[in-house]
Amino acid sequence: MELNPWLLPALVAIPFVGGLLAWYSERLSLTWPRWIGLLSMAATCVIALWIWKHADVPGVLPAADAPVWLLEFKLDWIPRWGITFHFGIDGLSLLMVLLTGVLGVLSVACSWREIQQYVGFFHLNLLWNLAGVMGVFMALDLFLFFALWEVMLVPMYFLIALWGHSSTAGAQRGHSRVYAATKFFIFTQAAGLLMLIAILALVWVHHQNSGQWSFSYEDLLHTPLSTAQEYGLMLAFFVAFAVKLPIVPLHPWLPDAHSQAPTAGSVDLAGVLLKTGAYGLLRFVLPLFPAASREFAPIAMALGVVGILYGAKLALVQTDIKRLVAYTSVSHMGFVLLGIYAGTTLALQGALTLMLAHGLATGGLFILCGELYERLHTRELGSMGALSRRAPHYATALMFFALASLGLPGLGNFVGEFLVLFGSFAVRPWTTALAATGLILAAVYSLYIVQKALHGPAADTRPVEDLTAREQAMMAGIMLALLILGLFPQPVLDLARAPLSQIGHWYAMGVPGP
């Protein structure tokens, strides 16, 4: 069946228009924005699944001269400068789009009771942020990519600054939601400026060699670069994406943003915004600058190991449960960075699988943190305890996601981490062995959450409302997805095999194309 290319801009337009409708409908009822947001993101999931079902997925194409897209959409935008409205989707970007849609649905659903003020404007910002993320995963024009990259920032700033909530520990440190939002904006905006300079420099070098202005991804793949030019541009792109991943020491914005953000903001940040950094490394840094990336790989993989151990160590000393989960994200993203720069097909497949599993598992943990805050009005682990008796359904869900986070076999995180370590060992065995110690620390901090929140002494003996039917449905959906990814990962690996093997081939050869 031939797919309509207009499905790709629809993936961006639906949440964008849905956000406007949600904002406008607030004057009619506070329920309308919620349903509009939920249906908008559900529609993106349906479109992504439709493309997956009907697209002609290619096999391994390591020697292909150009990327192969499942679906492509292109319109002229600014012809004088070679700028086009160009979207394309392959197995890699399709999985990221589907993850964005699923977590978008969960973000709206988990905010049903939490957000009671400016409900329409909240859903406007949430949906516009998700629309920008959708576009980032599909953009094949670097000017369009940068524009959508920037679109993500302002809505997230408002989500944190207007609807965030400061923890007791955060207030003691002088941190507020506005402080966290500003810190997030400054870090990501500075990184975006660096990326813009690198994009313009790459386009200028391409013009000097070809005589034509073009921001096209496929044109820029074959831009001749000197060694110094390639290394310098690679570093600029790397730093821009490293801030969003985030990589130690460019991570300080993350714990504050998570601890002050509303639940939907934390789910969005951990589930999809961090993945835009990893996606940028896979889609742009390795293919555009393969030789420089190979030379830089030992440093990048070392930074990945530092992130794994540092994030796990910091997680162990947190008393705020959201900050604890935030630092676990730093640790897990270290495994993703390790797999990307190992460059083997197995390691790349592991990095992608871990991105999906981490988005689901950490999204589930942040939803549980938000639900617990609604009930206890605190996120301090010392103020919790005995939840296994007081809220058994909540305890079951928290135990499941804690086990997923530590990499229990049978769940998606285990598949991703195993493939990353297995694929990286052949490249750098000692680095990989050191990274594997992070799995031990993951078990420690995951069981620390379980012990303090579920089985520790109760600071308050009052009954706690257990998960509602809506919350149970959310938790069951995420659990099922993690089980399917852990027990039957092959469909995901097959869908992304062609683009990942192609990226791995270019990286191994040091040049894009055969």
Side-chain angles (χ1 to χ4, degrees), residues 264-283:
S266 294
V267 173
D268 195 6
L269 272 170
V272 293
L273 257 69
L274 303 191
K275 309 308 181 292
T276 60
Y279 176 84
L281 295 175
L282 282 169
R283 178 67 74 202

Side-chain angles (χ1 to χ4, degrees), residues 106-114 263-264 267 367 374 470 474:
L106 294 171
S107 296
V108 176
C110 73
S111 306
W112 214 269
R113 291 198 312 184
E114 180 182 6
T263 303
V267 173
I367 291 173
E374 287 182 25
R470 170 181 58 86
M474 286 191 292

Side-chain angles (χ1 to χ4, degrees), residues 36 254 273 331 334 349 406 486 491:
I36 290 172
L254 181 67
L273 257 69
S331 183
Q349 288 179 322
L406 65 82

Side-chain angles (χ1 to χ4, degrees), residues 77-157:
W77 187 6
I78 310 175
R80 179 178 179 181
W81 300 107
I83 298 173
T84 58
F85 198 80
H86 189 187
F87 286 135
I89 200 165
D90 58 7
L92 169 61
S93 49
L94 179 58
L95 288 169
M96 292 293 99
V97 165
L98 183 57
L99 177 67
T100 304
V102 169
L103 292 179
V105 170
L106 294 171
S107 296
V108 176
C110 73
S111 306
W112 214 269
R113 291 198 312 184
E114 180 182 6
I115 304 301
Q116 297 296 330
Q117 292 184 322
Y118 310 112
V119 177
F121 191 53
F122 171 84
H123 286 87
L124 170 76
N125 284 281
L126 179 62
L127 266 66
W128 278 20
N129 176 266
L130 293 167
V133 174
M134 290 277 188
V136 161
F137 288 140
M138 299 186 294
L140 296 181
D141 180 281
L142 267 68
F143 185 88
L144 176 64
F145 174 83
F146 174 76
L148 291 166
W149 183 270
E150 294 297 299
V151 164
M152 298 187 298
L153 302 185
V154 176
M156 181 53 68
Y157 173 87

Side-chain angles (χ1 to χ4, degrees), residues 67 140-142 145 195 198-199 202-203 206 214-226 229-231 233-235 237-238 241 280-294 502-503 506-507 510-513:
L140 296 181
D141 180 281
L142 267 68
F145 174 83
M195 181 168 64
I199 290 172
L202 180 61
V203 169
H206 175 79
S214 177
F215 284 78
S216 168
Y217 173 70
E218 294 182 14
D219 290 343
L220 297 176
L221 274 177
H222 303 283
T223 302
L225 298 169
S226 68
Q229 288 173 336
E230 182 177 359
Y231 206 88
L233 292 174
M234 182 277 298
L235 283 178
F237 272 90
F238 175 83
F241 294 131
L281 295 175
L282 282 169
R283 178 67 74 202
F284 296 102
V285 176
L286 265 61
L288 289 173
F289 318 108
S293 296
R294 279 180 58 83
Q502 191 175 56
I503 291 169
W506 293 342
Y507 180 67
V511 292

